[in-house]
Amino acid sequence: MSSNRVTPEPSEDENLMMAERNKGSGTIDMPIGAGDPDYSIGCFGWVLVILSWLIFLVTIPFSLCICIKVVQEYERAVIFRLGRLLPGGAKGPGIFFVMPCIENYTKVDLRTVSFDVPPQEILTKDSVTISVDAVVYYRVNNATISVANVENANHSTRLLAQTNLRNVLGTKNLAEILSDRETISHQMQSGLDEATDPWGIKVERVEIKDVRLPVQLQRAMAAEAEASREARAKVIAAEGEQNASRALKEAADVISESSSALQLRYLQTLNTISAEKNSTIIFPLPIDLLSGLMKK
């Protein structure tokens, strides 16, 4: 049974190097303010840090219950000291220390989250109004960025998924939406993943759940399918009659070559009639008489 190991988040220096590499592409994969050269908290900030340590030491062991925190294996803690992100990225999993009064932290869940996109009224490329709903699977890829770069990463991803669903399906015909769901899902997943990358969100999968058509359109499609089936049935029946007529013609040619073949066929027909209806009285007519009438 395989397990997914969560890779540690990059440090502040690594974030800066990645930002320099991606500067030309315009992507943002570092927290807001991380590249600020004036990262010092100042003299007053250091005074508050010293006072915080004094409070911690004086109030031991009670302060240990407040300052020592624990996060689970699937969680990370983003710590702010005097409103600034601490270098080194998010903390966890396990035990970490929070200084009293000057530090606060935010827990971020790294597990995959799924949500339903509400049904969206969409006008397709061929001017058909349909209602489509989907499901999106995503997870937080970078806890620090998801907290620092966007107010609410989960809510923003949900809103963006609704907009992306309308934008992608608005460029497709109804036939493409009904037949190429896998291609459309992959296109939506790629676009949504690229848009949420600056928020530290990784979109893993997007699936279209249901496509609801108007009642009038359903009736029209059902009538079209029924007419198509009736047309195929008539063509098949006509082909069967054509083949049957050819077989009868060949049988007649074979019987006409021998007079005894006609008599044998006559006897076989009498046998069939007598087996099906026993009360029927059969008066056999000589074949010679018929042949004489045919010659005259």
Side-chain angles (χ1 to χ4, degrees):
M1 183 175 181
S2 60
S3 59
N4 296 327
R5 174 173 290 275
V6 180
T7 57
E9 294 190 2
S11 62
E12 200 70 27
D13 296 335
E14 293 175 347
N15 283 331
L16 293 176
M17 294 174 62
M18 295 171 64
E20 291 295 332
R21 290 197 301 266
N22 296 331
K23 185 180 296 183
S25 60
T27 58
I28 302 174
D29 53 359
M30 60 179 294
I32 295 175
D36 189 358
D38 187 14
Y39 195 77
S40 176
I41 59 177
C43 296
F44 185 70
W46 283 110
V47 172
L48 293 178
V49 171
I50 294 173
L51 291 177
S52 177
W53 277 107
L54 291 176
I55 294 174
F56 171 74
L57 295 175
V58 170
T59 57
I60 288 178
F62 301 102
S63 59
L64 293 176
C65 300
I66 301 175
C67 298
I68 295 180
K69 306 295 182 181
V70 178
V71 290
Q72 304 296 329
E73 179 69 29
Y74 52 84
E75 293 178 333
R76 295 295 182 272
V78 181
I79 303 176
F80 293 86
R81 177 182 296 174
L82 297 176
R84 304 296 297 269
L85 278 172
L86 288 182
K91 307 298 181 182
I95 300 175
F96 64 96
F97 182 80
V98 177
M99 298 178 64
C101 303
I102 64 171
E103 288 185 356
N104 61 341
Y105 71 98
T106 302
K107 283 185 180 181
V108 179
D109 196 332
L110 301 182
R111 292 176 294 183
T112 299
V113 180
S114 62
F115 69 91
D116 294 327
V117 179
Q120 304 294 314
E121 294 292 336
I122 299 171
L123 182 64
T124 61
K125 189 177 180 181
D126 49 355
S127 301
V128 178
T129 303
I130 59 177
S131 178
V132 182
D133 57 351
V135 59
V136 179
Y137 299 87
Y138 72 95
R139 61 181 175 85
V140 176
N141 190 33
N142 191 313
T144 304
I145 294 178
S146 66
V147 173
N149 286 13
V150 62
E151 180 182 2
N152 191 330
N154 295 327
H155 183 63
S156 300
T157 303
R158 294 171 185 266
L159 294 179
L160 186 60
Q162 299 178 21
T163 306
N164 190 38
L165 178 64
R166 291 194 297 267
N167 293 339
V168 172
L169 296 183
T171 61
K172 304 293 182 180
N173 296 326
L174 179 60
E176 296 176 350
I177 295 175
L178 296 177
S179 59
D180 298 337
R181 290 193 180 186
E182 185 176 355
T183 303
I184 295 174
S185 299
H186 180 70
Q187 182 179 356
M188 291 175 56
Q189 186 266 336
S190 300
L192 192 59
D193 184 34
E194 182 180 357
T196 56
D197 186 62
W199 302 342
I201 299 295
K202 173 65 178 178
V203 179
E204 297 178 341
R205 193 176 184 87
V206 178
E207 292 291 341
I208 297 177
K209 292 177 59 179
D210 189 20
V211 179
R212 287 184 289 275
L213 305 177
V215 178
Q216 296 82 356
L217 182 59
Q218 294 180 11
R219 293 175 179 173
M221 294 178 66
E224 181 182 0
E226 184 178 359
S228 178
R229 288 193 297 269
E230 290 180 356
R232 287 197 299 269
K234 291 181 179 179
V235 170
I236 294 173
E239 291 177 353
E241 292 179 357
Q242 184 179 8
N243 295 332
S245 62
R246 290 177 181 175
L248 289 175
K249 179 179 180 300
E250 294 176 358
D253 294 339
V254 172
I255 293 175
S256 63
E257 294 177 356
S258 175
S259 58
S260 60
L262 182 61
Q263 186 173 2
L264 291 174
R265 181 59 183 168
Y266 174 73
L267 295 175
Q268 184 180 3
T269 304
L270 292 179
N271 186 22
T272 304
I273 296 175
S274 62
E276 291 181 356
K277 297 182 180 180
N278 297 326
S279 61
T280 304
I281 300 175
I282 302 173
F283 294 96
L285 186 64
I287 300 300
D288 297 337
L289 180 62
L290 291 176
S291 61
L293 293 175
M294 294 175 63
K295 288 180 181 180
K296 290 180 180 181

